């Protein structure tokens, strides 16, 4: 049923087939890629982009645009074709021809940090739909503050069977349903095919019923019927719940021999089938060729948000000057000017009146200061609020239909939380922090990696960071997590030693804008080891000399992080009693330290012949500081259940053990 | 409504209150723990253990027992009280008094490797319910082979709100519903409370409807009505689907001031409230005291499976002698005698007719050999079967209601797959292997950690192990995963260099019985570098000299793993052209090598002054071999999308780069 489209004489089918043809050509040229999804969902995308999506291709970063998330990122040629056709300046026809080549704007999976107009990096399944919850929540939270004139948009997600099979999707749909995020609309590409074969090989879930059980509105449509799709989106936009539109589609639509089979999913059609597909679609043009009238119709769609953008700009300019400057600061992601001074004052107070507290409590102290100057910090916990100490005194909860708060009860959904945080960070205007026990970073790891890859300033508040949590035992005691997170590119891990270092690390976490930061915090109380006024942030280089040696030729350098800095200082004292001169270096961030200049590293590591590392975790990675002949006092395997002091003794992480190892080394 | 129980005059309430009282006492004595769940679910557990669970406390490892999984592991005192009351010899009253103390049988969360009678380690939420799918599947698969006389039991799970909020639960219920695992019965402790407060703070999911959407039967009951619970379990046992029984309960049942609040969840009641609770329950006995008639009634429940066990033993003894020996071998977890020789023959064939193939293909070759001698290997893929090369020629699929196969289409559920594999391993009688892309180990990590902690012989077939996967780009290219998995205690990572090493690593993976093994395998083709007959398994020490130096004083030692061994060998040749003598050490398992004796390590590392590590991954961890002054040729950050040869060149992982770095070092 041909539809009249924005440009006269051009039908819906023409528009959709332009996407299909470009997707076929891109994959054929690369001899690699996924044609199945673009062929199958071109109708859905055409309806969305030509009739609904509020965007202006001339300004893909305009703040109040609707967001479109391609959760099934393997179908990247769909997105590139859409960006190209609607007039995105970065995605030229040459870039389409460069699909999946090094340094192109068109990598195998969409990468927001490479390609303007790509809202988020997708590919690992489930991330898109889960991250979209953060986008949709950020929109509502900012709308509650700034009103419809400035923040008023939708988040659309195209999700596949695979996205919905991943567990993270359950966390996401439960959270979105609970919070009634009615600006979130998921278009489910219900094609019944997976890589192994028909979906029925592995799945029998009634997705519509499942979304309904999570508080969503649902609609079923024929994903190749543009009128039905259009009606469904119209209804979805008016819903008071998030909406899932199950679009029945044929994967590889149009391909005579592959449509409806798993063969269509992830490999080029090949020249013959590509030609046969184009013929079947009635597309009689050369590779990467789009007739002018179809191109014009698509370019018109690319301008359909322009009048909204102009109105928005008018409203923006009409704001009172201070409010506008603050709004602009926030949507640009600049940090509040008052932050630095506030942290300095906090440090001065702490030096004047030392506090021996767990670093999770120290984090709460820092947060009281930070939240008072930083309204864009939006924080939450995966149902461990009383343990993570993340809810400051004046915090207001975000609740279903009520978005004027800054505190999120994420539920027991670490993965969903981390993905939502990514969405909040990508949306802009807010800075996300989220908390759980550090051992449960494992649950959130795929989204944390996405934050690192996508250079997102998410902050993870990870308490209970070692065997120091005690009785809950080895299932809850991280031992390899510091190493495994330090190994992740662009992830920054801080493990502060006391209340002052915690304030410094929080400052660094917030000031960082090009990647995520994890704060590893203790359950157990710690003495304040930083007792003198330091204006500069000593944690900024990852390691620094906390307690110098007595002589200028110390025999021992002791390196420690977090709760083990106390042990290092006590070992230094015990060694002094034995006339062994030692210095102590605090290492709040091992990997940040390794990124410093050779000069800084050499200076901090020093030349003492014996090097000792202390950390209630595995040695893995520490050899970079202490050498593979260094002494390491830490964990060799999993922890155990018991009071934490018993555990430190049992596993031999004590000042006495350090003295013993050092004495052995000196004797040998 | 008092119920007549197995022992005369003892009521259901008496039995349930015995659990409650012991749980209160254990937590009070430890001054730490979670009383809320045992108080709330004692009625459910009492019905299950006294009327349904087929077990014999005298032999907690009897193979055909029903399994009971406490998915909400924080309620461990429930399980310890049950084990103690039913006569489990390991869980004495002294152990109850030692709750949460070092070296006790009663750690904070249940640990199957510590306490006989505990089926699996739980605590990290969602793991129990997801692992139970593996238990229930293993039961059906073995039943299909051995029949009802030998394998005929149920898997019961007690799961909490938190278990169901975790995304992994969706993967698990979808898989169980799809496969129609009707021997799986989940008792949902529907208490409406989480740590942050009422569940309504974070969740609104209709769990009953959600399970129904996944193909489960569901029943709602009052979780404090023993008759209703009993009727529900009876009906569940007859269902042709897995069943979820939503039991409405009151957390902290009986506690006058804490029942029904989050305060009841995770801290001791305190002496006053403990006394008040016991009074309210009508329990007038001292700490850890259980009156004799109640104790007798519980001991009787502990013997209720004895007659089934005796019948089973009779059937077992009646088996034909060879069949019995084979069955016994498998349920004991012994490996087939033919395995060693089969691998040796394969290696001989490969040396006679070398194969230059990707190691994922090499893995398929090894699997053809292994599956032919090892019927208990049950393998699957998370919807990447054609890419993972895991399905051998004669494989038979497991399908809904049809369990006589050995191949599982897990769907796009990496986490659910890893958990199910744990369940299969814990059940016994089968050895699980599962596959996906290596980058998606992140999705499965919590279950992989559980395998490592619980010492389970699970095998992960992780293909596409580096930038060598090419065009799919950085979202799909592992760079930190080798390091992050090597850092995990008791996880063994192998990265074989060719088809021969792959066979050796598969052998080691299968022979290993005290922990999981990961095989990191390439997408891209590799030359066969092992071309001489070696009877011994050279990979068994983690590293070995593959290509010796020309002299006995080489200047350079090059260490490499997997696909980079080819680069190392080519670098050795280029260096030889420059009169620089180098040797090449293949490092299929870095962490296994580090566990060897100092003598072995020194010998393999050698004394060449220049040490080079090559791996298409981050350096993190390699300093343990090459030293922190060693040369590392590898990745410094995330990968990129492009043909893989372009990527190796772009990231400088080439023989020429090695030569350049070595030349620099020799010059400097």
């Amino acid at each position: 049923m041909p539809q009249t489209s924005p440009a006269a004489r051009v039908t819906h089918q023409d528009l959709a087939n332009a996407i299909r043809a470009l997707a076929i050509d891109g994959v054929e040229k690369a001899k690699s890629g996924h044609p199945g999804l673009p062929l199958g969902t071109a109708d859905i995308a055409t309806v969305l982009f030509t009739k609904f999506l509020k965007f202006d291709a001339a300004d893909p970063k305009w703040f109040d645009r609707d967001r479109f998330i391609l959760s099934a990122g393997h179908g990247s040629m769909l997105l590139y074709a859409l960006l190209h056709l609607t007039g995105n300046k970065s995605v030229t026809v040459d870039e389409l021809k460069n699909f999946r080549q090094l340094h192109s704007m068109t990598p195998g999976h969409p990468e927001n940090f490479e390609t303007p107009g790509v809202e988020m990096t997708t590919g690992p399944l489930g991330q898109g739909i889960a991250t979209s919850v953060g986008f949709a929540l950020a929109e509502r939270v900012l709308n509650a503050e700034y009103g419809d004139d400035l923040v008023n948009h939708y988040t659309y997600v195209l999700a596949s069977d695979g996205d919905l099979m991943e567990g993270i999707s359950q966390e996401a749909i439960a959270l979105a349903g609970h919070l009634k995020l009615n600006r979130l609309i998921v278009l489910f590409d219900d094609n019944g095919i997976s890589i192994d074969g028909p979906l029925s090989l592995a799945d029998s879930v009634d997705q519509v019923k499942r979304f309904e059980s999570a508080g969503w509105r649902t609609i079923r449509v024929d994903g190749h019927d543009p009128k039905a799709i259009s009606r469904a989106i119209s209804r979805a936009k008016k819903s008071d719940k998030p909406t899932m539109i199950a679009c029945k589609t044929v994967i590889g639509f149009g391909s005579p021999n592959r449509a409806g089979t798993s063969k269509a999913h992830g490999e080029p059609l090949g020249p013959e089938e590509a030609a046969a597909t184009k013929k079947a679609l009635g597309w009689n043009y050369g590779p990467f060729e789009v007739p002018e009238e179809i191109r014009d119709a698509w370019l018109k769609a690319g301008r359909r948000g322009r009048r909204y953008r102009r109105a928005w700009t008018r409203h923006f300019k009409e704001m009172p000057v201070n409010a506008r400057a603050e709004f602009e600061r926030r949507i640009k992601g600049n940090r509040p000017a008052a932050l630095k001074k506030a942290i300095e004052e906090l440090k001065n107070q702490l030096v004047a009146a030392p506090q021996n507290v767990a670093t999770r409590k120290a984090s709460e102290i820092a947060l009281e200061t930070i939240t008072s100057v930083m309204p864009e910090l939006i924080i939450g916990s995966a149902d461990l609020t009383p343990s993570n100490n993340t809810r400051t005194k004046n915090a207001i909860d975000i609740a279903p239909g009520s978005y004027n708060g800054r505190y999120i009860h994420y539920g027991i959904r670490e993965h969903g939380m981390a993905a939502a945080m990514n969405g909040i960070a990508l949306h802009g205007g807010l800075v996300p922090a989220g908390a759980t026990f550090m051992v449960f970073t494992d649950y959130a790891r795929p989204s944390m990696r996405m934050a690192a890859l996508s250079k997102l300033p998410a902050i993870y508040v990870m308490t209970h960071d070692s065997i120091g949590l005690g009785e809950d035992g080895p299932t809850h005691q991280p031992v390899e997590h510091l190493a495994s997170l330090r190994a992740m590119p662009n992830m920054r891990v801080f493990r502060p030693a006391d209340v002052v270092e915690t304030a410094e690390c929080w400052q660094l976490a917030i000031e960082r804008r090009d990647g995520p930061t994890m704060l590893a915090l203790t359950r157990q109380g710690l003495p304040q080891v930083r007792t003198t006024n330091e204006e500069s942030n000593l944690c900024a280089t990852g390691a620094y000399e906390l307690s110098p040696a007595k002589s200028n030729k110390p025999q021992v350098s002791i390196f420690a992080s977090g709760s083990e800095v106390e042990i290092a200082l006590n070992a230094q004292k015990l060694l002094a009693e034995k006339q062994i001169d030692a210095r102590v270096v605090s290492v709040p961030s091992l990997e940040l330290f390794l990124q410093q200049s050779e000069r800084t590293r050499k200076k901090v590591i020093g030349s003492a012949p014996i090097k000792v590392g202390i950390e209630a975790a595995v040695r893995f990675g520490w050899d970079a500081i202490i050498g593979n002949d260094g002494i390491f006092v830490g964990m060799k395997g999993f922890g155990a259940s018991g009071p934490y002091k018993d555990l430190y003794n049992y596993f031999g992480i004590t000042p006495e053990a350090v003295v013993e190892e050092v004495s052995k080394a000196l004797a040998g």
Side-chain angles (χ1 to χ4, degrees), chain A:
Chain A
M1 61 195 84
Q3 299 251 312
T4 313
S5 83
R9 293 184 317 279
V10 175
T11 63
H12 165 88
Q13 272 69 21
D14 292 333
L15 295 170
N17 285 343
I19 296 172
R20 292 188 173 106
L22 290 175
I24 291 172
D25 295 339
V27 174
E28 287 303 306
K29 178 85 171 28
K31 295 193 171 60
S32 160
H34 300 76
L37 183 133
L39 291 172
T41 61
D43 290 314
I44 303 167
T46 298
V47 172
L48 180 64
F49 272 66
T50 62
K51 292 186 188 300
F52 293 97
L53 199 74
K54 183 176 78 170
F55 75 112
D56 184 349
D59 184 4
K61 293 282 179 192
W62 168 46
F63 190 70
D64 199 30
R65 70 194 179 277
D66 288 344
R67 268 67 168 177
F68 172 70
I69 313 291
L70 180 65
S71 192
H74 54 269
S76 55
M77 265 310 302
L78 175 80
L79 185 52
Y80 300 144
L82 286 162
L83 292 173
H84 171 70
L85 288 167
T86 52
N88 179 297
K89 287 188 185 62
S90 306
V91 185
T92 61
V93 73
D94 285 341
E95 293 293 343
L96 296 185
K97 291 176 182 169
N98 254 332
F99 180 50
R100 295 189 144 229
Q101 305 307 302
L102 195 52
H103 309 308
S104 76
M105 287 278 177
T106 50
H109 292 83
E111 299 172 4
N112 67 298
F113 49 93
E114 290 287 350
T115 315
V118 170
E119 298 289 358
M120 72 167 284
T121 302
T122 51
L125 290 170
Q127 295 299 322
I129 187 170
T131 302
S132 72
V133 176
F135 276 100
L137 178 60
E139 193 271 345
R140 285 293 87 188
V141 168
L142 291 171
N143 172 274
E145 186 171 359
Y146 290 104
D148 286 347
D149 286 345
L150 291 168
V151 186
N152 181 22
H153 52 267
Y154 286 82
T155 302
Y156 295 96
V157 184
L158 183 60
S160 62
D161 296 307
D163 287 303
L164 302 190
M165 288 168 89
E166 291 287 0
I168 188 176
S169 71
Q170 180 62 28
E171 302 184 19
I173 70 170
L175 190 58
H178 173 70
L179 290 174
K180 297 193 188 302
L181 298 177
N182 66 329
R183 296 301 188 98
L184 177 60
I185 298 172
V186 170
L187 300 148
F188 166 34
D189 175 25
D190 184 10
N191 64 30
I193 292 294
S194 69
I195 289 176
D196 277 11
L199 193 66
S200 57
L201 273 180
D203 195 46
S204 331
V205 171
D206 178 342
Q207 295 294 358
V208 163
K209 191 168 179 180
R210 175 183 166 217
F211 275 77
E212 285 172 357
S213 78
W216 286 55
R217 175 165 197 184
T218 61
I219 306 172
R220 288 185 202 264
V221 298
D222 173 351
H224 299 296
D225 177 348
K227 276 191 188 160
I229 298 164
S230 183
R231 273 196 307 270
I233 297 175
S234 290
R235 283 163 58 200
K237 285 183 71 175
K238 291 180 202 127
S239 170
D240 60 348
K241 301 173 177 179
T243 302
M244 187 272 254
I245 305 173
C247 308
K248 200 81 195 162
T249 62
V250 177
I251 191 172
F253 182 90
S255 164
N257 299 299
R258 296 193 172 183
T261 73
S262 54
K263 192 88 177 147
H265 165 77
E267 55 185 280
L269 297 176
E272 267 182 55
E273 185 69 8
T277 305
K278 286 189 182 177
K279 194 173 167 198
L281 293 169
W283 187 264
N284 303 310
Y285 312 103
F288 299 102
E289 186 190 336
V290 179
E292 197 177 341
E293 59 185 8
I294 298 177
R295 190 168 284 281
D296 284 347
W298 266 118
L299 287 172
K300 192 173 167 196
R303 293 189 297 267
R304 63 181 305 285
R306 190 153 304 169
R307 63 194 174 98
Y308 300 103
R309 178 164 73 89
R310 287 189 178 142
W312 182 87
T313 306
R314 215 165 41 239
H315 293 305
F316 175 72
K317 287 191 176 152
E318 285 163 9
M319 289 178 83
V321 64
N322 285 345
R324 191 176 67 199
E326 173 68 3
F327 182 58
E328 197 169 15
R329 175 186 78 72
R330 282 167 58 179
I331 66 179
K332 284 189 172 169
N334 294 326
R335 301 307 185 231
L339 179 70
K340 191 161 176 283
K341 199 156 169 238
I343 296 283
E344 274 169 24
E345 276 172 19
L346 171 61
K347 284 164 63 181
N348 287 341
Q349 284 166 25
L350 292 169
V351 167
Q355 299 225 33
N356 298 336
V357 293
T359 46
R360 62 174 169 150
K361 178 69 186 168
S363 168
E364 186 182 344
I365 292 169
L367 275 173
E368 292 288 359
T369 294
I370 293 164
T371 52
S372 71
V373 297
M374 193 170 169
E376 71 267 36
L377 187 67
I378 183 164
I379 197 163
S381 165
D383 196 42
L384 286 168
T385 298
S387 298
N388 297 144
N389 295 51
T390 33
R391 200 172 182 284
T392 49
K393 277 196 296 287
N394 299 320
I396 297 171
D397 284 350
I398 288 168
S402 167
Y403 308 109
N404 61 336
R406 289 291 183 275
Y407 197 79
I408 307 173
H409 294 281
Y410 279 109
I412 301 158
R413 305 183 182 107
E414 300 81 9
H415 203 176
M417 173 174 74
M421 288 166 63
N422 289 350
I424 292 169
L426 283 160
H427 181 278
L430 295 164
V431 174
T436 182
F437 287 169
M438 190 174 132
V439 81
F440 300 136
T441 52
D442 279 352
Y443 279 78
R445 199 170 163 95
S447 297
M448 294 173 79
R449 184 178 208 257
M450 201 58 90
L453 175 61
S454 307
K455 306 185 171 71
L456 306 180
I459 302 169
Y460 310 110
V461 182
M462 298 290 132
T463 70
H464 298 59
D465 72 346
S466 76
I467 54 166
L469 71 80
E471 290 90 342
D472 273 347
T475 54
H476 284 56
Q477 291 163 355
V479 293
E480 75 278 26
H481 298 75
L482 288 168
S484 79
L485 288 158
R486 286 168 181 156
M488 187 184 284
N490 203 34
M491 172 64 70
R492 189 157 300 159
V493 179
F494 284 111
R495 189 164 185 254
D498 75 349
V499 65
V500 175
E501 278 197 4
T502 304
E504 291 185 343
C505 293
W506 254 113
Q507 183 185 5
L508 293 165
I510 285 174
E511 286 174 351
R512 183 165 198 229
R513 293 182 53 184
D514 62 354
T517 301
M518 190 185 100
L519 303 170
L521 304 170
T522 67
R523 174 182 188 234
Q524 74 272 29
L526 297 178
Q528 184 171 324
V529 297
R530 284 275 298 282
T531 50
T532 57
N533 261 329
E534 300 281 352
E535 211 174 286
S536 66
N537 188 319
L538 297 184
C539 293
T541 52
Y544 65 93
E545 189 176 81
L546 173 67
S547 178
K550 287 202 177 136
S551 70
N552 56 11
K553 279 231 161 184
Q555 294 159 280
V556 183
S557 286
I558 308 177
F559 304 85
S561 83
S563 42
E564 285 70 71
V565 170
E566 176 187 10
I567 294 173
L569 292 169
N570 288 334
Q572 184 188 33
K573 278 183 211 140
L574 292 180
L575 288 168
E577 287 170 15
K578 293 180 172 257
Q579 320 307 327
I580 301 169
D581 192 21
R583 58 195 277 275
V584 172
V585 175
S586 179
V587 189
S589 178
L590 189 143
E591 76 283 10
L592 178 58
F593 175 64
L594 294 177
Q595 290 160 22
Q596 303 303 309
S597 69
E598 196 180 345
R599 195 167 149 269
T600 303
R601 277 183 287 133
K602 284 205 164 157
K603 194 180 150 206
V604 174
I605 289 177
S607 53
I610 294 175
K611 296 187 189 69
V612 184
I614 318 177
E615 187 165 74
V618 296
R619 177 177 183 137
F620 206 82
W622 270 92
D623 289 9
I625 290 182
I626 60 174
N628 53 10
D629 54 353
I631 294 167
F632 185 74
V633 174
M635 297 295 290
K636 288 183 181 65
F638 292 107
S641 171
Y644 82 90
K645 288 181 183 173
D646 293 356
L647 297 178
Y648 270 86
N649 281 324
Y650 175 66
F651 290 112
I653 307 174
T654 60
E656 293 75 19
V658 173
V659 172
E660 193 184 322
E661 291 296 322
V662 168
S663 304
K664 261 196 251 171
L666 285 170

